[in-house]
Amino acid sequence: MIEFINVSKTFPEGNHAVENINLKIEDGEFVFIVGPSGAGKSTMLKLIMREETPSEGKVIVNGRDLTKMRRSQVPYLRRTMGIVFQDFRLIDKMTVFENVAFAMRVTGTKQSVIKKRVPYVLKLVGLERMGTRHPSELSGGEQQRVSLARALANEPSLIIADEPTGNVDPKRSYEIMNLLKEVNKMGTTVLVVTHEHNLVTKFNGRVIKMKRGKIVKDTAEEYYKERNKKERESEDRFAGFDEISENKTETTYSDNYDEIHERVNRLIKDIENEN
Ligand SMILES: Nc1ncnc2c1ncn2[C@@H]1O[C@H](COP(=O)(O)OP(=O)(O)OP(=O)(O)O)[C@@H](O)[C@H]1O
Ligand SMILES: [Mg+2]
């Protein structure tokens, strides 16, 4: 769970990036953060990943008060998160493959797992043929997708994506959002900053609207109602399936990702057929 308690962030030059924010985000939510440029969206995300610390108030992530967290603990916090930065932050000296693999190496993942997982996430974002290139040899949208692949690599419990569709065409935007939605369905909490109004209306999610550092709208209640209704419906739909799933052995994450990939592909085909 993420909690903001009376959080303000004022930069030394006197900019109030975020002003007295109170907010709770439960595990498993899908949250859009919207609002004009300079509203404080990226600052909110940076407070959650502890790239910034609040000038006032508390930010609590999974029960830990980030304002009291020691610097040495920050890498452990980040390992639970997949982050898509607004400015990508890829390492140009490394290939695309290495950029994603690097993120896995720092968490101590075995080489044998990395070798399988990296091509897999690159395929998920449609970059399976780009592994040997360097970021500078890619378009903005392709770099953005590398950044998304890197965020997915460690199967994080929270994905924070700052305008992950800012540089891609409408079809790709749709695919990326679908991918995030599918990952969310598997239990990952997703926070997405976006300027694309049509994506927000097309994809169900809680919408937090910011303006001049404040939350001016939050559809949390509507979102919870809708989500509970959907959960009840899906429970009904799957009634009687319990016996079948009991016989199944434990599902691994990679099974889940295969399933996601297939579903995303099907969705893409559906869209293409529609057009
Ligand atoms: N490091 C910084 N130093 C000083 N001011 C900053 C810093 N980072 C952000 N700000 C200011 O805080 C405000 C909020 O910035 P933020 O980056 O959170 O906006 P945003 O909503 O993400 O905007 P955009 O949609 O353009 O990305 C802006 O006025 C910005 O100039
Ligand atoms: Mg921003």
Side-chain angles (χ1 to χ4, degrees), residues 59-165:
V59 178
I60 297 166
V61 176
N62 294 333
R64 301 202 58 184
D65 182 349
L66 302 193
T67 49
K68 294 203 180 112
M69 184 177 268
R70 271 191 264 131
R71 196 176 277 272
S72 60
Q73 294 298 307
V74 174
Y76 297 99
L77 170 80
R78 302 246 174 92
R79 282 173 200 185
T80 64
M81 303 175 173
I83 304 170
V84 184
F85 292 97
Q86 194 167 11
D87 53 1
F88 319 137
R89 301 202 194 170
L90 301 172
I91 304 165
D92 202 50
K93 270 189 267 171
M94 294 182 184
T95 62
V96 165
F97 186 101
E98 276 306 316
N99 266 278
V100 179
F102 178 69
M104 299 183 77
R105 279 202 190 101
V106 294
T107 64
T109 311
K110 275 194 282 177
Q111 183 61 18
S112 56
V113 177
I114 292 175
K115 262 172 114 177
K116 278 193 195 153
R117 178 88 185 150
V118 176
Y120 184 70
V121 286
L122 286 178
K123 196 166 176 209
L124 269 184
V125 299
L127 291 179
E128 61 270 37
R129 285 189 209 94
M130 305 275 181
T132 55
R133 291 215 205 162
H134 287 259
S136 60
E137 299 165 328
L138 300 178
S139 73
E142 286 162 349
Q143 290 180 47
Q144 193 150 39
R145 284 184 280 143
V146 178
S147 159
L148 179 61
R150 182 181 58 187
L152 295 171
N154 285 319
E155 293 159 0
S157 57
L158 168 66
I159 289 189
I160 296 176
D162 202 345
E163 294 196 44
T165 61

Side-chain angles (χ1 to χ4, degrees), residues 29-34 177 180-181 190-194 196-210 217-219 223:
E29 284 200 47
F30 191 99
V31 183
F32 286 113
I33 302 174
V34 300
M177 213 48 94
L180 291 173
K181 233 10 227 229
V190 178
L191 308 188
V192 198
V193 168
T194 183
E196 291 190 74
H197 183 68
N198 56 349
L199 285 181
V200 177
T201 45
K202 191 140 190 125
F203 290 86
N204 264 325
R206 172 177 171 185
V207 184
I208 295 174
K209 189 171 182 183
M210 296 188 71
K217 193 180 171 196
D218 185 348
T219 64
Y223 170 80

